[in-house]
Structure formats: structure tokens, C-alpha cells
Amino acid sequence: MKDFSIDEIRNLEFKDEDYDEADFGDYVDFIGSRVGLSNGEGLRRLMEFFDNPQDKLKIIAVGGTNGKSSVCNFLTNNLRKTNSCGLFVDPYLGEINDSISINYESIPKKRFMFYIDSLRPVIASLDEEGLRVSCQDILMAIMFMYFCQENVDFAVVEFAAHKSAELFNVVSSPFATVITSISVDKAAGLGETDEEVAKNIGALIKKDCPVFAYPQEDEIDEILREIAQENHADYYTFKKEEVVVDAINEHETDFHFMGYTGMITSLIGIHQMYNAALTMIVLHRLKGDFKVYTEIIRPSIYTAKSDGRLQLAFKHPRVLVDDAHNPGAVDALAEALKLFIYDRLVVLYTCDEVDDYVLEKVCGLADDLVLTKTYDPNYSCDIHDLEARALKYREDVQVIPDLEEAYKWAVDKASEKDIVLCCGSLPMVREIFKMKGKY
């Protein structure tokens, strides 16, 4: 890694020949050492030093507790057809630089390394002040700087706030705010009730910036509308009954909505149809700015992907992966599983923080259940506590702490007529994808 003074970094220019991708792991380790989640202040201070690049971008800020990544991908797959569109997703699958992309091309590793070298002197200075800059802060700082320097037309940014809604205030005036499904998420820590979570996520709503919202429960919808009204922000939503299912199966959902006929999404589950409908409202209302029209919207909705969200990862046996880490997500998973035909459901489960509602639901879905841990200690609960709580809901629980051994057990247990479901943790899903072809 390269050492620069805090004065030098203001005028640094990236040179490809200065970096070797063989050193990329050292940079990943540096970010990994910054354990913890953003409280917003670290990112705000980093961005102030670099003249607030986020304020120079047309940001579509996407927040909520479920469906954020899917909506981000629906939007990006449309916008990239006629625009330069940045995308930031958090958490990521694949390698860490894959969280930041332009028109689905990940930020080059050497460029990623350059931005970390640029940020390190400021991070060190903030450390001396007692302000710890987190991994999440660093990733978002790199993203804002990269998108600004590349002069993207739009930036679709997933705001995965945890413990503090202050992260939402880093962007003072987004081009648009999109709010996905809201429910309690214990791991996120944004509230103990749906209403508390809604008030915190509502911090994404800014003065005079249009808001597009997934159809929420009445109490949540009322809170979001009030926040929008206070900020003189136009508020757009829809009712679920306005979206009409024409056909649905384990591969796709055909629907029509808002005058758009023959719409199809290949993302699994009726909840993804509503995520597509939310995207369509954004695109329809702002189509003059986006230069996206019907002939683009239809195929782009169909071809949009959202890795790790109720996805068929492997076929022999069938292995489904899904995040499903909170009540809203596990309810959507349970509904979507009704679309599949199978004999037995073998479930591989872990989580960041135990939610009894989710655990009870998973225990009820599973014909065979194996509990495990991720390889990332930052995203692993106490497996003994998880086992003890699972035994309240069923008598037969297999516990295999090593993830790869647990996955092998689940695959060996399944026949060609069964389904292996790996759920509860996106970091676990990330590791499952690496096991392709092993078992």
C-alpha cells in the first residue's frame, strides 16, 4: 500500500502502472480491519475533505428493509440503456469491488486501490480525533468519488443503514428517493416497531425531492406521507391490487400495470412483481429525465437480475439461495416457495442476529434443518444460542458449525426431487456461490 501525506492526496492522479492487482488482498484486508457499521459521521467527514462529491451527482437513493437490491437492479438495468448509470449495492456478492459499478462494469481493482490510498491519510487523521471510519464509510466514499470523477448521468445507491439513520443525511438533495418494503429488522436496529423503522428510513426523504414508495401498511404509509409533506416532496405510490398477475410460476411472473401490458419479471416471487411495479412508477414519472421509454422498460424489467435474492444457484440438486433475514423477507420467501414442486425441503440456515419470528418460520418450512455459521465473524450469531432457540420450534435440528461441511450435508441429504434452501444471511450466500461444482 502507498503512503501519502494528507497534503499530497488533494492532487493525486490515478496511474494504472502504479498498481499491481496482486496487492489487492492487502487493500481488502485494510477495509476488513475497519469492523463496524456507519453512523454517518465518518462518511460525512471524508466527503467534506474531498469537496462533497456526492452533492455533484444525480442520486437515486434507495432505502427500506426489503427489496432494495432488487429495485436498484431493476432501475439500473433500465437506465444503463440510455445513460451512464452508477450502481452501489450493500452488502455485495462476489468480490468487494463488485459493490461499485458503472453500467454493470465493476470498478477496476487498481482504481479501487488508488481510492483507498487517497482516503487512508484522512482516515488516520480522523482516527486520531477518536472518530472511527467504518468499512461501510470507506466503500461509500470510494463509490461517490468514483462516480463523480467518471461523471455518471445517474447513480443508483442502496442505503443499507444499520443502528443509525444518520447515514441517510450524507446526501442532502437526491434526484429521487425510492422507499421499498418496510418492516422490523433486528439486525439493522432502526426500531422495535414498523412505525419506528418507518420514521428512521423516512430520513431519506429530502426537501423538494420526489418520493416513490412500495405499497406499505396504512400506519407506515401515513408516516412516510407526513414526512414527505413536511419536506414539500411529491409522494407517489400504488396499491397492490393495481398490479394484475397474468401468470406466475417458479421461473417468472407475467403481469400488467399502469397501462403497460405483457410485462414479465424473471425474479422469483410475487413480491418481485411489486418491486418491478415500484420501479416502473419511478421510470414513468421521470422518463423525460431518464430518456427511458416503453420499448426499453419491458425487456429491461425482464432481464434484470438480483443475485442472492431467492435465486436458483445450482440445478443438481436444486439449490435455492435467499437472504431472508427479517420477518418481511421470510414471509415473502414462504409465499414464493409455494410456486415450486418438490418432495422435501432441506434448509441450511444461519443469521447475523437471531429473530424468533424468522427462526420459527424457517423451522416450520424445513423437512430437514441444518444450522451453521458464516466464515465472517462479523456476520455470525452464537450457534449454540441459535440451536437452543430452534429446538423450541422443532425436535430434529442438525448443527454443523463449518459452513462447507454443513452445505455438503444438505446436498447429500437431497434427492433430485428435493430442494436445498440456503437462507438467512447474504454473507453465507456469498460463500455458497463459491462451492459451485464441488458437491
Side-chain angles (χ1 to χ4, degrees):
M1 300 178 75
K2 303 185 185 304
D3 292 318
F4 297 106
S5 71
I6 203 160
D7 293 322
E8 287 178 302
I9 60 175
R10 291 187 185 277
N11 299 309
L12 281 182
E13 291 185 7
F14 171 70
K15 295 180 181 179
D16 186 85
E17 62 269 21
D18 288 345
Y19 290 90
D20 185 343
E21 286 190 12
D23 299 326
F24 184 67
D26 295 336
Y27 290 80
V28 174
D29 290 342
F30 170 76
I31 291 184
S33 72
R34 313 298 297 190
V35 177
L37 298 162
S38 176
N39 64 4
E41 181 63 12
L43 178 59
R44 186 184 67 78
R45 293 286 298 280
L46 286 177
M47 293 298 86
E48 281 182 351
F49 186 88
F50 289 97
D51 197 26
N52 290 311
Q54 75 278 17
D55 292 341
K56 302 175 179 69
L57 296 167
K58 291 183 178 179
I59 292 173
I60 303 166
V62 181
T65 48
N66 296 306
K68 296 186 297 296
S69 290
S70 296
V71 170
C72 283
N73 278 287
F74 277 131
L75 284 166
T76 301
N77 202 40
N78 276 273
L79 293 177
R80 71 189 181 101
K81 302 297 172 58
T82 54
N83 301 276
S84 169
C85 183
L87 171 64
F88 176 77
V89 291
D90 178 25
Y92 58 92
L93 290 175
E95 297 193 83
I96 194 168
N97 60 310
D98 294 330
S99 63
I100 303 167
S101 64
I102 296 176
N103 288 355
Y104 283 137
E105 291 289 332
S106 299
I107 179 175
K109 290 181 178 179
K110 292 182 179 181
R111 191 79 173 271
F112 189 89
M113 295 155 69
F114 165 75
Y115 284 120
I116 291 178
D117 282 338
S118 301
L119 290 164
R120 281 175 58 233
V122 189
I123 293 169
S125 175
L126 293 176
D127 282 346
E128 291 177 1
E129 292 183 24
L131 178 59
R132 183 167 176 79
V133 177
S134 72
C135 171
Q136 188 181 27
D137 292 323
I138 297 169
L139 277 178
M140 294 195 77
I142 293 170
M143 174 266 298
F144 286 133
M145 294 166 71
Y146 179 54
F147 290 169
C148 185
Q149 289 190 356
E150 291 300 306
N151 196 28
V152 297
D153 296 318
F154 297 97
V156 177
V157 178
E158 177 178 353
F159 280 83
H162 297 271
K163 312 302 180 188
S164 170
E166 286 303 311
L167 180 65
F168 298 147
N169 293 323
V170 174
V171 175
S172 59
S173 184
F175 185 76
T177 296
V178 182
I179 296 179
T180 63
S181 177
I182 290 176
S183 63
V184 172
D185 183 336
K186 286 191 174 181
L190 287 176
E192 295 296 321
T193 67
D194 291 351
E195 290 76 16
E196 288 178 3
V197 176
K199 288 178 182 177
N200 279 315
I201 291 176
L204 263 182
I205 299 173
K206 304 300 181 185
K207 183 176 174 60
D208 297 323
C209 298
V211 183
F212 302 87
Y214 188 95
Q216 314 282 354
E217 296 295 328
D218 289 345
E219 296 82 359
I220 295 174
D221 182 73
E222 184 177 345
I223 289 168
L224 295 178
R225 286 180 184 275
E226 287 178 358
I227 297 172
Q229 187 173 17
E230 290 168 3
N231 285 277
H232 306 287
D234 292 333
Y235 185 87
Y236 304 98
T237 188
F238 60 97
K239 297 183 183 300
K240 288 185 176 180
E241 52 265 31
E242 295 176 46
V243 192
V244 181
V245 177
D246 297 317
I248 186 169
N249 57 43
E250 65 184 81
H251 303 293
E252 62 188 34
T253 303
D254 301 26
F255 66 99
H256 61 271
F257 173 59
M258 209 171 56
Y260 292 84
T261 59
M263 299 300 303
I264 305 174
T265 172
S266 60
L267 301 190
I268 304 169
I270 199 164
H271 61 291
Q272 296 290 15
M273 178 187 72
Y274 296 128
N275 286 331
L278 173 58
T279 303
M280 291 167 65
I281 282 187
V282 180
L283 296 171
H284 182 78
R285 289 286 179 181
L286 301 176
K287 61 186 178 184
D289 298 285
F290 293 152
K291 300 180 178 65
V292 172
Y293 304 102
T294 305
E295 60 272 17
I296 291 174
I297 293 174
R298 188 175 286 110
S300 297
I301 291 292
Y302 178 67
T303 58
K305 306 296 180 186
S306 188
D307 290 340
R309 278 73 179 181
L310 195 51
Q311 179 183 7
L312 183 64
F314 314 128
K315 293 183 178 179
H316 302 291
R318 287 175 293 171
V319 177
L320 283 173
V321 294
D322 191 33
D323 188 10
H325 62 291
N326 60 37
V330 79
D331 285 344
L333 169 62
E335 188 66 26
L337 284 172
K338 297 175 184 177
L339 302 172
F340 291 83
I341 298 173
Y342 56 90
D343 286 350
R344 298 180 64 78
L345 186 68
V346 183
V347 177
L348 174 62
Y349 180 77
T350 191
C351 58
D352 306 345
E353 185 172 332
V354 181
D355 183 302
D356 284 304
Y357 180 92
V358 174
L359 186 57
E360 182 177 10
K361 195 89 169 186
V362 168
C363 287
L365 290 170
D367 292 298
D368 298 285
L369 176 65
V370 56
L371 305 177
T372 190
K373 297 176 65 175
T374 69
Y375 292 134
D376 187 339
N378 299 314
Y379 294 97
S380 283
C381 65
D382 183 330
I383 196 166
H384 301 296
D385 177 55
L386 180 60
E387 178 187 14
R389 291 162 79 165
L391 287 170
K392 294 190 299 182
Y393 305 118
R394 60 183 293 144
E395 296 178 357
D396 53 330
V397 177
Q398 186 78 18
V399 179
I400 305 177
D402 183 81
L403 175 56
E404 187 162 350
E405 289 181 14
Y407 176 72
K408 184 178 185 302
W409 182 92
V411 170
D412 289 345
K413 194 81 174 175
S415 73
E416 285 295 308
K417 293 183 179 180
D418 300 334
I419 288 178
V420 175
L421 171 65
C422 306
C423 66
S425 163
L426 208 57
M428 177 183 72
V429 170
R430 186 187 305 144
E431 295 300 324
I432 295 299
F433 276 115
K434 297 177 183 177
M435 298 178 197
K436 182 176 182 179
K438 281 192 173 185
Y439 306 106

